[in-house]
C-alpha cells in the first residue's frame, strides 16, 4: 500500500474519490436543471433539491414541483378573487325622456 499523501494529507485514492464525487454532483445538477426545464419549472428551484443520490434528487424534484404548482395555483386564485364589479345605478332621468330628448342629450355629451 502506498502511503504517499498530498499537501492536504489525502491519499491519491481519496483525492480521486473526491474528484469523482464532484463530477457526479455537477452531472446531477445539470440533470436537475434540465428536468426543471422539461417540467416548465424555474431554475431557482435547483437550490431546493437534494443531490445526495439520483433517487433523492428525483424525490426532491417531485416534492418541489408539487409545492411550486400548489403555490402558483394559490396565487392565481388569490389574484382572481377580488370584488365583483359594482353595478351602474339605473339612470332614472333617461327613463322618463322622449327618444328625441335622449338623442339630444347623448349627442350633446359627445360633442363637448
Amino acid at each position: 500500500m502506498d502511503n504517499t499523501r498530498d499537501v492536504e494529507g489525502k491519499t491519491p485514492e481519496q483525492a480521486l474519490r473526491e474528484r469523482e464525487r464532484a463530477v457526479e454532483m455537477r452531472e446531477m445538477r445539470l440533470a436537475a436543471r434540465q428536468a426543471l426545464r422539461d417540467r416548465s419549472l424555474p431554475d431557482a428551484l435547483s437550490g431546493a433539491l437534494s443531490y445526495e443520490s439520483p433517487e433523492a434528487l428525483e424525490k426532491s424534484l417531485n416534492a418541489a414541483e408539487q409545492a411550486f404548482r400548489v403555490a402558483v395555483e394559490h396565487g392565481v386564485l388569490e389574484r382572481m378573487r377580488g370584488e365583483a364589479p359594482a353595478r351602474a345605478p339605473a339612470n332614472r332621468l333617461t327613463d322618463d325622456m322622449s327618444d328625441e330628448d335622449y338623442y339630444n342629450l347623448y349627442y350633446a355629451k359627445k360633442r363637448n
Side-chain angles (χ1 to χ4, degrees), residues 67-79:
F68 180 78
R69 302 247 184 252
V70 167
V72 167
E73 182 179 355
H74 178 70
V76 168
L77 292 175
E78 281 297 314
R79 174 101 15 135

Side-chain angles (χ1 to χ4, degrees), residues 23-91:
V23 169
E24 288 174 8
M25 289 293 288
R26 276 194 298 269
E27 288 174 353
M28 278 199 288
R29 287 184 194 279
L30 288 172
R33 293 182 106 183
Q34 185 59 46
L36 288 170
R37 282 187 214 106
D38 292 345
R39 296 178 184 201
S40 300
L41 297 171
D43 282 343
L45 288 177
S46 64
L49 303 177
S50 172
Y51 298 99
E52 292 300 314
S53 68
E55 295 81 21
L57 176 61
E58 185 65 28
K59 188 175 181 180
S60 64
L61 186 59
N62 291 335
E65 178 180 18
Q66 183 179 9
F68 180 78
R69 302 247 184 252
V70 167
V72 167
E73 182 179 355
H74 178 70
V76 168
L77 292 175
E78 281 297 314
R79 174 101 15 135
M80 290 174 54
R81 188 171 305 209
E83 293 182 24
R87 284 185 66 190
N91 192 351

